[in-house]
Amino acid sequence: MPETPQELHARAAAHLQVPPVDEWDSWPFTGEIAPKVLRAPGEEIVRDGEGGVDCTACGKPDDDYFWTDETWRLLAMPPGGLPIVIVLEPRVHVDNPATMDDDLLREMGVMLGRVERAVLSVGNIGRVHIGRWGEGAEHLHWWFIARPAGFTQMATSFAEIWNDVLPPTPQEVWDDNLARIAAAMDAGA
C-alpha cells in the first residue's frame, strides 16, 4: 500500500537533511544552507487553465510565439543567463502525456527531438535539458534549457538556477538564437 501524504509528513518532517550540494560542482552557491520546514500536506493548488477553463496558453495568439505549426507552438522566455530557454506547447489543451491520444503522443516524441536539434543548431550548446513540471499551469508545456558548451559547472538540474544567477544574455544574441531555432524548425530540424 502506498504511503499517504500524512504518513510521509509524519515520517519526514522532523528528519530533513541537507544533501551534500556544497560538494557538487554544479551547485551555484557557497555558504551554509538549511531545509525549510516541511509543511503538512494540504489541498492541491488550482493551476492556470484547470479543467480547460480560462487557460492562458489557449488564449494566447500565435504572435506571442516565435514559431508555430498546425499542432505546436514555441514560446521564448525573456533573456536569462543561459543561451536559450524556450517552451513547447501543443495547441490542444491537454494536461500531461497520460491524457494525450496515441497519435499526439507519437507526434510529441518527434517534436521533442526536433526542438532539441533546433536548439543545438544555435551552436556552442553543451546540453539541452528538457523538463516538464506542470505545477503552475494545466496546459502541457515542455521546457528546453540550453547549457552553454564547456560550462560543465552548470550541468544537471541546476542549469535552470544558473539561468537566474548569470547576467542576462544580450537581447541581440537572444534574438539571433531564437531566429536560428525558428529557421531550423522551418527546415524540419
Side-chain angles (χ1 to χ4, degrees):
M1 173 174 283
E3 189 173 42
T4 68
Q6 293 75 18
E7 290 168 336
L8 170 65
H9 185 265
R11 172 180 60 79
H15 304 286
L16 300 179
Q17 52 195 343
V18 176
V21 291
D22 58 331
E23 298 172 13
W24 301 347
D25 190 47
S26 58
W27 180 246
F29 306 104
T30 61
E32 247 184 80
I33 61 167
K36 290 182 176 182
V37 170
L38 181 62
R39 296 186 301 254
E43 296 296 317
E44 286 289 323
I45 60 169
V46 176
R47 299 173 296 164
D48 178 78
E50 195 81 42
V53 177
D54 296 327
C55 176
T56 301
C58 288
K60 284 184 183 174
D62 279 358
D63 289 347
D64 286 359
Y65 296 81
F66 76 96
W67 180 88
T68 65
D69 74 5
E70 316 72 56
T71 311
W72 300 95
R73 305 192 295 180
L74 283 173
L75 179 69
M77 295 295 102
L82 297 179
I84 205 74
V85 177
I86 60 175
V87 173
L88 173 68
E89 299 173 347
R91 285 183 182 274
V92 63
H93 185 91
V94 293
D95 184 7
N96 51 49
T99 60
M100 298 169 77
D101 66 43
D102 288 347
D103 289 336
L104 192 56
L105 276 171
R106 279 187 284 278
E107 189 174 338
M108 181 182 65
V110 171
M111 283 303 294
L112 292 173
R114 282 187 64 202
V115 174
E116 182 176 18
R117 285 193 302 262
V119 171
L120 289 168
S121 78
V122 166
N124 297 312
I125 303 296
R127 295 280 182 269
V128 179
H129 299 283
I130 304 171
R132 177 197 154 282
W133 291 269
E135 295 288 353
E138 182 182 74
H139 196 111
L140 176 65
H141 53 286
W142 291 95
W143 292 84
F144 291 78
I145 301 166
R147 177 183 60 76
F151 285 91
T152 57
Q153 183 182 10
M154 297 176 197
T156 74
S157 57
F158 295 126
E160 185 179 10
I161 294 173
W162 277 103
N163 188 53
D164 292 330
V165 171
L166 298 167
T169 298
Q171 188 68 52
E172 62 276 5
V173 174
W174 190 261
D175 292 343
D176 183 64
N177 291 348
L178 291 176
R180 290 170 186 265
I181 292 168
M185 292 300 295
D186 288 340

